[in-house]
Amino acid sequence: MAFCRYCGKPIPDSAPTCSHCGGVQVVQSQSNRAGKSKLNFTPVCTLFCILASLVLYLSEESVDQDMINFLIGIAAIGIICGIICVKIEEKKDRAANIVFILASILLLITALARGA
């Protein structure tokens, strides 16, 4: 049993309006309630890009061209995915996605510098 947002009287859980005062109720669907605890891979991907950039930058050994091409591809995918996520995510997640884009750009620059 839920309560009306306006008059406080008991109403059915799925009632779109209050039967007493007629106030429109905001009913959350089950998917919205369950969606609040979604898994976010952005921090892990950001950490991967930063660590890969550092290892690549600090490595004194020569890195083969296949690895450079792989890292350039990962960085490009990261930039594209980050831009898409910034467009569709909520405002609170945009900062994390922007950091992910910057980390991907850092990886791209580092890989291009080592490949040259």
Side-chain angles (χ1 to χ4, degrees):
M1 185 62 72
F3 295 93
C4 176
R5 300 174 145 250
Y6 302 100
C7 68
K9 294 186 178 177
I11 58 173
D13 288 336
S14 61
T17 59
C18 176
S19 58
H20 304 285
C21 70
V24 177
Q25 308 298 308
V26 177
V27 180
Q28 286 186 342
S29 66
Q30 291 291 349
S31 62
N32 285 345
R33 285 185 228 155
K36 294 195 188 245
S37 62
K38 65 181 179 178
L39 188 58
N40 189 354
F41 290 104
T42 304
V44 175
C45 295
T46 302
L47 186 62
F48 169 78
C49 288
I50 291 173
L51 289 177
S53 298
L54 281 174
V55 168
L56 193 61
Y57 179 73
L58 296 176
S59 174
E60 294 181 7
E61 300 174 7
S62 64
V63 181
D64 64 343
Q65 191 62 38
D66 289 338
M67 179 59 80
I68 298 293
N69 291 341
F70 172 75
L71 292 174
I72 289 171
I74 292 293
I77 291 170
I79 293 168
I80 292 168
C81 290
I83 291 170
I84 291 170
C85 288
V86 166
K87 296 278 187 193
I88 63 173
E89 291 289 326
E90 298 175 4
K91 289 183 180 180
K92 64 179 181 172
D93 294 333
R94 285 188 183 154
N97 289 324
I98 290 171
V99 171
F100 175 52
I101 293 169
L102 294 175
S104 298
I105 291 171
L106 174 67
L107 178 60
L108 180 66
I109 290 171
T110 309
L112 288 173
R114 279 304 293 253

